[in-house]
Amino acid sequence: MAEEKTTAQVEDTTEAKQEVKEQAPKQDPKEFLENFNWEKYEEGIEKVDDSKLEEFEKLVAENFVDTADEEVVQGRVVYLTDREAIIDINAKSEGVISLNEFRYNPNLKVGDKVEVLIDIREDKSGQLVLSHRKARTIMAWDRVNAAHDNEEIVSGFVKCRTKGGMIVDVFGIEAFLPGSQIDVKPIRDYDQYVGKTMEFKVVKINHEFKNVVVSHKALIEADIEEQKKEIISQLEKGQVLEGVVKNITSYGVFVDLGGVDGLVHITDLSWSRINHPNEVVELDQKINVVILDFDENKSRIQLGMKQLEKHPWDALSDEIKIGDKVKGKVVVIADYGAFIEVVEGVEGLIHVSEMSWSTHLRSAQDFVKVGDEVEAVVLTLDREDRKMSLGIKQLTPDPWTDITTKYPVGSKHSGIVRNFTNFGVFVEMEEGIDGLIYISDLSWTKKIKHPSEFVSVGDKMEVEVLELDVAGRKLSLGHKQTTENPWDKYEAEFAVDTIHKAAITDIVDKGATIDFNEDITAFVPQRHLEKEDGKKLGKGDEAEFKIIEFNKDFKRVVASHTAIFREEEQRNVKAQQKKSAASADEAKPTLGDANEALQALKDKMEGKS
């Protein structure tokens, strides 16, 4: 293949030849050949002047071309038919090119100069066959390569869209324009570029596959870089700039400041709480921002929008004071409470303890949900620290206000079991009023180790008010007091020295137990199991037993089989009875003491001081 030439080079060569031709003597080549004595020249009789040989070579070079394949030459249209164009390239004969190769140039006319490639020097009929299309392609590749090597700007026509970018016609070659190389900002509508003529830079050429990649973005990046340096050099904290929203994420908004990008964090978009930045701004929107901060290189710029407006707390009406009722919308809910937006950008916290008079703390979600419009009372207001606490329960009367009227000592009521601990059961009388039933006040007869053996959360219970502390907001209740105490009648039936017949129910540590009925279970010490013959009673043995101790308060009954027939044992028993009675009177707690101890334990478990 002959050395490739650009269109400009071909034009320069043609002009040079034309200039030489105009300067050369106007001599007919045929006349020169006819007058030349070849015979003398061959025999060496007559020496040919060198100047004449040079002139001859010059004439040949000017008028005839080398018809080597794959070489682009310039020809002239000498004739046009309906289908073909006859082209003169100064060869032995004119060449023929189909008009289809000139469809891009419907105004082709005789005399026009065109670039052609010698396709076939002589076909079967001896005709020179030329190609304008191939010539254009070769010249186009020359121009594209030159543009790439010299980093020149080329003009191209955007033909259509394709996957990932656009197809651009550059010098007749279809080049690829990636979507990322169209502009410095993301492009969402590719169709707006179809049919436009734009300037590009050739950024990549694959000679093997004849692929060309162009970029429009590369042309404007240099200008943007200059603008960027200028903008960065002038950045100052507190400076207000205009920018365009370039990208929106869940955590903030990227703003183009004219070649420099800055980030407005979601918390700096609005004084009000927002879930996503798109609630405030949209793509390509022009916004004013203030520079909050930047790093040493000024490559990371932190911007703000809300800072351009007066803080809502500063604009909060001076008329709002503690005790006032306010309305607002629930914007955030946590386990410990709910945040209410009283006015835009001003929030107050309703702690869960201020949502109900009930002492049973629950989740805030049990009372309100996000978006609810609620009314509340201002409990605290700190304008300097910009904090406000609110309450809902204050909108209803405190149930402890007339507690002595509703729940006097000795009155009987129904309540719901809300919770229980190892020492008792908490019963809710109504919203905000709870009472404690100590484990010993659940049953007259049953020995209960844990309240769960007797009752379940949510059960309805009959109770009697045993003690009321208005100042301490404490209510002591009893359940067994709502029924008659069976131990009152058992006190006479199972009095000391009475004898009853029963069987040994079980052998336990240090003795045995016997059941006189469903309520009375007596303990028989080891030494009181001895019979007259010296043997001891065993499980299931039936015998007579004498009551040697009966304590109604502690539900304690002690019986003896041996005391029936042994006087000495009786004396020992009486002495022991006196000692036990004295100890019991000394250690017996009052109801008030028990309730105070239980309340202190309850307060400790609830974390109160």
Side-chain angles (χ1 to χ4, degrees):
M1 179 176 176
E3 183 179 354
E4 296 180 349
K5 300 179 180 178
T6 63
T7 303
Q9 290 172 329
V10 173
E11 291 176 353
D12 292 342
T13 302
T14 304
E15 291 176 0
K17 290 180 179 180
Q18 184 65 30
E19 184 177 350
V20 171
K21 186 175 181 180
E22 291 175 356
Q23 293 176 356
K26 297 192 182 283
Q27 183 175 2
D28 189 356
K30 292 182 179 180
E31 181 181 348
F32 176 82
L33 292 175
E34 289 176 356
N35 296 329
F36 187 78
N37 192 332
W38 288 99
E39 184 177 352
K40 290 181 179 181
Y41 175 73
E42 290 176 357
E43 294 178 355
I45 298 173
E46 183 177 343
K47 184 178 179 180
V48 179
D49 188 7
D50 290 340
S51 61
K52 291 185 178 181
L53 288 175
E54 290 176 3
E55 183 182 355
F56 175 75
E57 291 175 356
K58 186 185 295 185
L59 290 172
V60 172
E62 290 176 359
N63 291 277
F64 297 95
V65 298
D66 183 10
T67 56
D69 294 340
E70 302 299 326
E71 182 180 357
V72 177
V73 297
Q74 191 174 64
R76 184 170 59 87
V77 179
V78 295
Y79 187 74
L80 290 173
T81 68
D82 294 338
R83 296 183 178 181
E84 296 172 329
I86 309 302
I87 310 296
D88 180 14
I89 62 169
N90 287 333
K92 291 187 296 182
S93 62
E94 287 83 7
V96 179
I97 300 178
S98 172
L99 287 180
N100 289 333
E101 298 189 22
F102 296 97
R103 281 185 297 182
Y104 73 95
N105 184 11
N107 298 320
L108 184 69
K109 62 184 182 298
V110 173
D112 287 351
K113 292 182 178 181
V114 296
E115 294 166 344
V116 296
L117 180 74
I118 300 171
D119 202 359
I120 302 175
R121 282 174 284 187
E122 288 187 3
D123 61 6
K124 294 180 180 179
S125 60
Q127 181 67 52
L128 176 65
V129 179
L130 307 176
S131 174
H132 178 62
R133 183 185 295 110
K134 291 181 180 181
R136 285 191 70 211
T137 302
I138 293 173
M139 296 303 294
W141 272 103
D142 289 343
R143 296 177 68 183
V144 166
N145 280 286
H148 178 261
D149 295 340
N150 300 326
E151 296 186 356
E152 297 176 0
I153 298 174
V154 299
S155 180
F157 177 76
V158 181
K159 297 177 66 176
C160 62
R161 279 194 59 180
T162 187
K163 184 178 180 181
M166 318 287 287
I167 298 298
V168 180
D169 186 327
V170 179
F171 304 142
I173 296 175
E174 289 190 347
F176 177 60
L177 172 64
S180 61
Q181 296 299 314
I182 297 177
D183 205 336
V184 291
K185 60 182 180 181
I187 302 299
R188 287 173 288 277
D189 182 15
Y190 284 31
D191 293 333
Q192 62 179 313
Y193 296 96
V194 176
K196 289 186 176 181
T197 299
M198 301 169 61
E199 291 185 334
F200 302 97
K201 194 172 185 180
V202 180
V203 294
K204 185 178 180 181
I205 298 177
N206 188 318
H207 294 280
E208 181 179 358
F209 297 101
K210 298 294 184 181
N211 291 335
V212 178
V213 179
V214 296
S215 171
H216 178 69
K217 174 182 176 182
L219 297 179
I220 56 179
E221 280 182 335
D223 294 338
I224 291 177
E225 191 63 29
E226 291 298 324
Q227 295 177 13
K228 184 176 180 180
K229 290 180 181 178
E230 183 178 354
I231 293 173
I232 287 178
S233 64
Q234 299 175 357
L235 288 182
E236 295 180 2
K237 291 183 181 180
Q239 185 179 11
V240 178
L241 301 173
E242 184 182 66
V244 178
V245 177
K246 182 177 180 181
N247 192 20
I248 299 177
T249 67
S250 59
Y251 56 86
V253 176
F254 288 94
V255 179
D256 183 358
L257 302 175
V260 180
D261 289 348
L263 173 65
V264 183
H265 194 268
I266 186 172
T267 56
D268 291 318
L269 283 171
S270 172
W271 290 114
S272 300
R273 292 179 184 262
I274 57 175
N275 296 318
H276 197 277
N278 56 21
E279 298 176 16
V280 180
V281 297
E282 58 186 20
L283 286 173
D284 299 328
Q285 178 182 348
K286 287 186 177 181
I287 58 175
N288 289 327
V289 291
V290 61
I291 298 177
L292 303 180
D293 200 2
F294 46 75
D295 59 9
E296 293 182 358
N297 299 325
K298 298 183 180 180
S299 58
R300 293 185 179 181
I301 305 172
Q302 182 180 346
L303 307 174
M305 277 184 61
K306 71 180 185 181
Q307 289 78 4
L308 296 174
E309 300 176 358
K310 190 176 181 180
H311 197 289
W313 271 92
D314 298 333
L316 186 64
S317 173
D318 294 334
E319 297 180 359
I320 297 179
K321 57 186 181 300
I322 295 175
D324 287 351
K325 293 180 181 179
V326 294
K327 291 183 179 180
K329 183 175 68 174
V330 180
V331 290
V332 174
I333 292 181
D335 289 337
Y336 56 85
F339 289 92
I340 312 299
E341 188 175 52
V342 178
V343 296
E344 186 175 357
V346 177
E347 297 177 1
L349 171 65
I350 304 179
H351 193 270
V352 67
S353 62
E354 302 297 341
M355 293 183 173
S356 170
W357 290 109
S358 175
T359 57
H360 299 293
L361 295 181
R362 289 176 279 176
S363 172
Q365 296 176 346
D366 296 334
F367 299 95
V368 295
K369 62 180 182 294
V370 174
D372 284 353
E373 295 285 343
V374 299
E375 186 177 31
V377 176
V378 179
L379 303 181
T380 63
L381 181 61
D382 189 340
R383 294 178 182 271
E384 184 175 345
D385 290 339
R386 295 170 177 173
K387 292 181 180 179
M388 180 190 303
S389 61
L390 308 172
I392 295 178
K393 70 181 184 182
Q394 289 76 9
L395 297 173
T396 58
D398 184 352
W400 281 85
T401 304
D402 56 350
I403 189 72
T404 54
T405 303
K406 292 189 290 185
Y407 301 102
V409 175
S411 60
K412 292 181 173 59
H413 308 274
S414 293
I416 303 297
V417 176
R418 292 301 183 192
N419 192 17
F420 47 71
T421 65
N422 292 333
F423 56 83
V425 178
F426 291 97
V427 178
E428 186 179 58
M429 309 300 291
E430 63 176 81
E431 184 79 13
I433 298 180
D434 293 342
L436 172 65
I437 304 176
Y438 186 58
I439 193 170
S440 62
D441 289 319
L442 289 174
S443 174
W444 291 112
T445 58
K446 293 182 179 179
K447 292 184 178 180
I448 303 171
K449 295 181 180 180
H450 193 274
S452 59
E453 301 172 6
F454 185 81
V455 71
S456 299
V457 174
D459 287 352
K460 189 174 183 180
M461 289 189 69
E462 297 297 323
V463 297
E464 181 179 319
V465 179
L466 303 182
E467 196 172 316
L468 178 60
D469 181 1
V470 178
R473 301 172 80 93
K474 298 173 184 177
L475 191 63
S476 297
L477 306 174
H479 173 67
K480 69 181 184 181
Q481 288 80 2
T482 60
T483 60
E484 184 180 355
N485 187 354
W487 285 83
D488 291 338
K489 63 178 181 179
Y490 293 148
E491 189 174 19
E493 183 180 349
F494 294 93
V496 175
D497 292 335
T498 58
I499 297 174
H500 305 272
K501 191 174 184 179
I504 299 295
T505 305
D506 199 5
I507 300 298
V508 296
D509 188 28
K510 297 182 181 181
T513 60
I514 53 176
D515 292 334
F516 288 125
N517 56 37
E518 61 179 6
D519 295 327
I520 302 297
T521 298
F523 174 69
V524 182
Q526 188 76 24
R527 67 178 185 275
H528 291 278
L529 290 172
E530 188 177 339
K531 298 187 290 185
E532 282 189 89
D533 58 5
K535 296 180 179 180
K536 291 188 176 182
L537 294 171
K539 184 177 180 179
D541 291 346
E542 190 174 36
E544 289 185 338
F545 296 89
K546 179 183 283 190
I547 305 299
I548 60 176
E549 181 184 347
F550 184 89
N551 190 314
K552 180 177 70 172
D553 294 328
F554 291 98
K555 304 180 186 68
R556 177 179 171 84
V557 179
V558 181
S560 172
H561 173 69
T562 307
I564 293 177
F565 56 86
R566 191 174 294 175
E567 289 293 332
E568 185 179 354
E569 288 292 337
Q570 292 179 6
R571 287 193 298 271
N572 292 337
V573 166
K574 289 180 180 179
Q576 182 64 35
Q577 287 175 349
K578 289 181 181 179
K579 185 178 180 180
S580 298
S583 299
D585 290 338
E586 214 175 290
K588 183 178 179 181
T590 63
L591 182 59
D593 292 338
N595 286 332
E596 287 182 7
L598 292 172
Q599 185 60 44
L601 181 58
K602 176 187 176 186
D603 292 345
K604 184 177 181 181
M605 295 180 68
E606 292 180 352
K608 296 181 179 179
S609 58

